[in-house]
Amino acid sequence: MKNVLCETLGVEFPLFAFSHCRDVVAEVTRAGGMGVLGIVSMSPEQLEAELSWIDERVDGKPYGVDLIVPSKFIGKSEGDGRAPDPAQVLAGLPEEHRAFAAELLKASGLDPDIPDADRIARMRSGANMTAEGAHAMMDVAFSHPIKLIANALGVPPKEMLDRGKAEGVPVAALVGTKEHAIRQASAGVDVIVAAGGEAGGHCGSISTMVLVPEVVEAMKDFGNRPVLAAGGIVTGRQMAASMAMGAAGAWCGSVWLTTAEAETNAAVKAKMLTASSSDTVRSRARTGKHSRQLRSPWTDAWEREGAPDPLGMPLQSLISEPALARINKMADAGHEGAQALATYWVGQGVGLMNEAMTCRQVVEGFMEDFAGAHETLAACFD
Amino acid sequence: MKNVLCETLGVEFPLFAFSHCRDVVAEVTRAGGMGVLGIVSMSPEQLEAELSWIDERVDGKPYGVDLIVPSKFIGKSEGDGRAPDPAQVLAGLPEEHRAFAAELLKASGLDPDIPDADRIARMRSGANMTAEGAHAMMDVAFSHPIKLIANALGVPPKEMLDRGKAEGVPVAALVGTKEHAIRQASAGVDVIVAAGGEAGGHCGSISTMVLVPEVVEAMKDFGNRPVLAAGGIVTGRQMAASMAMGAAGAWCGSVWLTTAEAETNAAVKAKMLTASSSDTVRSRARTGKHSRQLRSPWTDAWEREGAPDPLGMPLQSLISEPALARINKMADAGHEGAQALATYWVGQGVGLMNEAMTCRQVVEGFMEDFAGAHETLAACFD
């Protein structure tokens, strides 16, 4: 395909697959798209192993990585850029939140007791969100032939921008408003991922249909910096629609969750395949920031009047993630209460994800749909 | 343009302009699109005058009308389909809501006292929402050469569907979910307007980018009944994007509000031209159902904790509309407090509406943008 990102990144088809699963990343890259590995919860050692695994499988085709370094980090030791002391962080978790989560587990017949060790294990992402942690991760990432490095929240740290420039690796960043896009481009970000409010995971409230043309327009002042459309996109027709509005490609996360290669929990996968677009909720109760996820009695409980107000990031995750890990594990083991509660991040596009496929089938389906969309528009001018 | 709606409705370019203003309707129709007059707040006599005025100006080119007949109507006399007694409705307005609105007016230096007559005048729409009222309105509408009749909330009454069929006038209906689209198509609705959550006025929560392909897919079981995309669309590129996803055209409301022909309050028009896509709010505080509007201190106040819970439809409008009419009138007269409070329904697309234009300029801009979007996609295959 003739496209700015095909030229600069060496990708055949500008479909970007954000995934925490190396199999998805490698398969999408092999099929002609570009896998981007979410690495925030990995240790540097694990990252090294994952990227080596991918390198062995992609025959030099392009892939990337995605970190999260938020501009505000609660619990960061003042100024020194190092990870906070786990015991200190744990001591700051309010009893109200612990008890609310425990009560929900108990009411569904699950063990309500979350050991400290489970919460501490979740602080890995927190460590990677500090300057020191991000530095170690970038050391590993840049020692592999990555073709893109993305930052999922806020303006990337200066180190990421500088090293990206030095290594010739474009830096991408996710934004939910035009104003953020301008800030990112001003800071030197090369590729803007404009993520609409219908996106799974962290998201704003402006829809993809409005945000993409708004950001594309704003990028005219920045040499038409390429914009990837994200949010709700799970088909090649939607990708074509975004590109008709000026996007240089599509950035998708949700659509890979139900693929054969994804390590998505089986109960959640089954729910996603039958869910409609109305079955998601945008809530602060999972991470402290607004993120969109599958609705379940778990998310409903946190949205109800009287539920504890979500904590800041990353504290809320220390409440939610260990509990949800237990829920999803027990759901896979056949526990009915857990199956009801089970949930994961997903966008409104889940309503269009009705068939389990391989990653290659998804990529090829996108290519076919994209061509179909072009023909549909062309037919208007016949 | 070659398109199913161009063929069946005789429109040159499948861009539908929903407006309460006859000038907009006539001008869009004259420019090659299709104006659709919102008639819910008119009397049959006024409707007769408006449609005659339009007939004189459009040289037989197609236009339509839009009524609101909700499936649930609060205050409707049980079973007889007649409008409720105004005095009885007024008596049902809680003091809490009256006082809250009055306090907001007073705090901005405006007269807080709303005469009963102002509220009663607002019940016109209520009357049109009854079977008897809708019947009288349809008598007038079908005596003019309308080419489309739309119902903005819920499944149209059987009378509308029957008369539409008898007169050869397609019936359209607005939906916010795939499930509603299926219900509408099953009832016999000819054209489905799929309105995303970014739309101005009444709207659901599913985004246009997801809803349009979902509804298009669902309509395969109904002989590919045509779907109009609505919600956030204010440019031809977004229209092309929607049509790339299978829509038969675009239904737009917001984009006409800032045109020269629109009777939009001047203060509100000025706000819209500078607003970003983040400056809208989806709230129940104006009509009792979720509707999207320009954010202002007025809407903020109703969203705050402790504000009265919105009443049902149409009671909430009897609180909000007379107050907002006063606010917008005083805003135009130069009252600063009123200018701050002033608001009107508008979608997130307001962020892309940055220039005052005539309706013809908007339609021609759409046509040009549409062609540009097609070229952009075509260039991918060069």
Side-chain angles (χ1 to χ4, degrees), chain A residues 198 205 207 214 237 244 277, chain B residues 198 205 207 214 237 244 277 348:
Chain A
E198 55 266 69
S205 61
S207 80
E214 246 190 329
R237 282 195 176 262
S277 59
Chain B
E198 55 267 67
S205 61
S207 79
E214 247 190 328
R237 282 195 175 262
S277 59
Q348 291 186 340

Side-chain angles (χ1 to χ4, degrees), chain A residues 1-2 198 205-207 209-210 214 237-238 240-241 243-245 277 348 370 373-374 376-381, chain B residues 1-2 198 205-207 209-210 214 237-238 240-245 277 348 370 373-374 376-378 380-381:
Chain A
M1 177 170 285
K2 201 175 154 188
E198 55 266 69
S205 61
I206 312 301
S207 80
M209 181 62 83
V210 171
E214 246 190 329
R237 282 195 176 262
Q238 293 169 298
M243 290 173 69
M245 296 191 292
S277 59
Q348 291 186 339
F370 190 102
H374 167 240
T376 300
L377 276 195
C380 296
F381 295 91
Chain B
M1 177 170 283
K2 202 176 154 186
E198 55 267 67
S205 61
I206 313 300
S207 79
M209 181 61 83
V210 171
E214 247 190 328
R237 282 195 175 262
Q238 294 168 299
S242 308
M243 290 173 69
M245 298 191 291
S277 59
Q348 291 186 340
F370 190 102
H374 168 240
T376 300
L377 276 195
C380 297
F381 295 92

